[in-house]
Amino acid sequence: MTYFRLSCVAAAAVLLAACGGSDGPQRGALLDPPATLTTLTAAQIDAATAGSGLQAISGKARCDVKVVALNYTTVGVKDGESTNASGVMLVPAGSCTGASALVAYAKGSDVQKPRTLANPQDGETFLLAAMYAAQGYTVVATDYLGFAKSAYAYHPYLHADSEATAVLDSIRAARAAAPSVGANLSGKVMFAGYSQGGHASMAAHRAAERDHAGEFNVVAGAHLAGPYNLSGQLRAPDAIAGVQFFVPYLVTSWQKVYGNVYTDVKTAFKLPYSGYIETLLPSPTLTTTTLVSSGALPGGPGVTPNQARDLVFQPEFLAAAQAGGTNPLFLAAKKNDLLGWNPKARVLLCGGAGDPTVPPAIHQQAMKADFDSRGLTNVASVDVDPLVQATYGTAGKAPTDPASAAFATYYGNYHGTYEPPFCHAQARAVFDAVK
């Protein structure tokens, strides 16, 4: 049991949830009344999407969007751990009154512990509002364990099972909140996620169909630029963009989950990072920019991903993981790979071939080949790289000079900014066909 301070009402809810008798915890129970933060009007959404250029992808808003904060019960990574997570619910409003499908969304990798998606100014939240809620979908998006209002002691980064439970319990929380916030849910559920969220949404989709088929009417899943093949990524010779953030995050997370990834932090990480890396991420104060500018992690102009990796990690530690076999880090990666399952609902895989952070050749293509190997016909895979190049490239093409400012800008923004809207547009087209 994980204990944390709550209001009297919330504490009572947790007590009831934790003491749910033979049925176990009442997962997804609301710990606080759903709080409506604001309503974004269709005109406000249109003004923002027109100003940013997003409207060419999102289309004009059909609905106002009510932004609702949620705080709900969920479980940790160990049996019997009851805890909480927060998140946001985006509810179509104004002229949109009909029954709507529920999109359960999982966010991308996040190093900022206080960040919540229950924030109308958050860029990812606004993207969800413009792409889905303003088009008539209700959206629920979890902040995950260890972020925002969650009292969990850490974030289990890229741990498939706890990602899945946080997402599934957010659906339960949204259903509980629906009557009081004016949400009219049709009962249809769709999963979507980007980057880490693509891994989380696929893990949740798998768990929903496998373990809760009677509870969730899953009609589609759109898993976008996700790292589905983590063991394959570990064995890749070259580091990904952002390696100094994402791989230490993963290694220290799995050490907390499994306890055997390394026997001593100094055997995995070099000084000075070994002195504080286990508690660095997610950070209460630092962003990816200030993690580097403060010297907490290496990076910056002229530092390649391979150089950043080699500054942080002991070479023997990574070499042992790349060798595979019975190496504990490799086995942890295998546990969190998402290969080998058969979705029943329609599935979209989306990414861009130029993505330097989640390379589709390792993840998206391997996932599609895995599905194809079992004869599945309900899975589509889309490459949005031509759209990224045409929109953001130099004269419609990706920059080719690694020393140029244009190259740094293009690839620095590819995964986090350029790619997501195009994949969300592909996802919405799939959802529109089954809603």
Side-chain angles (χ1 to χ4, degrees), residues 44-370:
Q44 288 173 322
I45 294 168
D46 283 344
T49 56
S52 67
L54 177 62
Q55 196 171 108
I57 305 170
S58 68
K60 286 194 169 185
R62 296 193 300 107
C63 318
D64 298 344
V65 176
K66 193 180 297 185
V67 182
V68 179
L70 300 179
N71 184 19
Y72 63 92
T73 60
T74 188
V75 292
V77 301
K78 308 293 185 186
D79 289 342
E81 283 187 312
S82 295
T83 186
N84 73 311
S86 54
V88 70
M89 187 173 180
L90 303 174
V91 181
S95 61
C96 297
T97 58
S100 63
L102 178 64
V103 176
Y105 178 74
K107 67 177 180 175
S109 297
D110 197 343
V111 300
Q112 300 173 71
K113 184 177 174 63
R115 178 179 171 233
T116 178
L117 294 178
N119 173 9
Q121 282 75 50
D122 187 276
E124 196 166 7
T125 301
F126 182 79
L127 182 62
L128 297 175
M131 294 298 303
Y132 300 106
Q135 303 300 323
Y137 293 92
T138 300
V139 178
V140 65
T142 181
D143 295 328
Y144 296 139
L145 293 176
F147 284 97
K149 291 184 178 181
S150 175
Y152 203 64
Y154 67 99
H155 174 55
Y157 183 57
L158 291 173
H159 177 248
D161 289 346
S162 61
E163 287 174 334
T165 54
V167 172
L168 295 184
D169 290 343
S170 76
I171 297 173
R172 297 176 172 118
R175 288 174 168 175
S180 64
V181 299
N184 182 6
L185 300 179
S186 70
K188 290 183 176 180
V189 173
M190 301 153 173
F191 291 98
Y194 186 82
S195 190
Q196 178 193 359
H199 184 267
S201 63
M202 187 178 286
H205 185 169
R206 179 181 66 176
E209 289 189 346
R210 180 189 64 200
D211 304 328
H212 307 283
E215 182 180 1
F216 302 115
N217 176 21
V218 182
V219 297
H223 314 301
L224 316 176
Y228 321 111
N229 180 24
L230 292 164
S231 64
Q233 184 68 69
L234 271 184
R235 304 186 81 166
D238 288 319
I240 59 170
V243 61
Q244 68 269 47
F245 312 112
F246 307 131
V247 182
Y249 204 173
L250 176 147
V251 168
T252 56
S253 163
W254 288 352
Q255 175 67 14
K256 294 178 179 76
V257 172
Y258 302 113
N260 68 345
V261 170
Y262 49 78
T263 54
D264 185 325
V265 67
K266 297 183 185 66
T267 66
F269 297 94
K270 293 179 177 177
L271 290 169
Y273 311 108
S274 59
Y276 55 80
I277 197 73
E278 292 181 301
T279 57
L280 182 64
L281 300 172
S283 172
T285 58
L286 300 176
T287 66
T288 52
T289 299
T290 55
L291 282 163
V292 171
S293 64
S294 68
L297 289 172
V303 178
T304 68
N306 283 352
Q307 289 169 339
R309 175 197 63 196
D310 295 342
L311 286 167
V312 173
F313 283 101
Q314 298 287 3
E316 299 83 3
F317 177 75
L318 291 183
Q322 288 177 337
T326 59
N327 173 264
L329 178 58
F330 179 74
L331 293 179
K334 293 290 285 184
K335 288 178 183 177
N336 293 287
D337 285 345
L338 294 174
L339 306 173
W341 73 290
N342 294 342
K344 298 179 180 66
R346 186 171 172 179
V347 168
L348 171 73
L349 303 175
C350 182
D355 190 332
T357 302
V358 184
I362 294 175
H363 299 286
Q364 183 177 340
Q365 292 174 23
M367 196 75 239
K368 182 62 163 62
D370 180 72

Side-chain angles (χ1 to χ4, degrees), residues 364-387:
Q364 183 177 340
Q365 292 174 23
M367 196 75 239
K368 182 62 163 62
D370 180 72
F371 287 140
D372 289 348
S373 72
R374 294 186 299 281
L376 296 177
T377 59
N378 57 327
V379 179
S381 182
V382 175
D383 178 10
V384 297
D385 188 66
L387 295 170

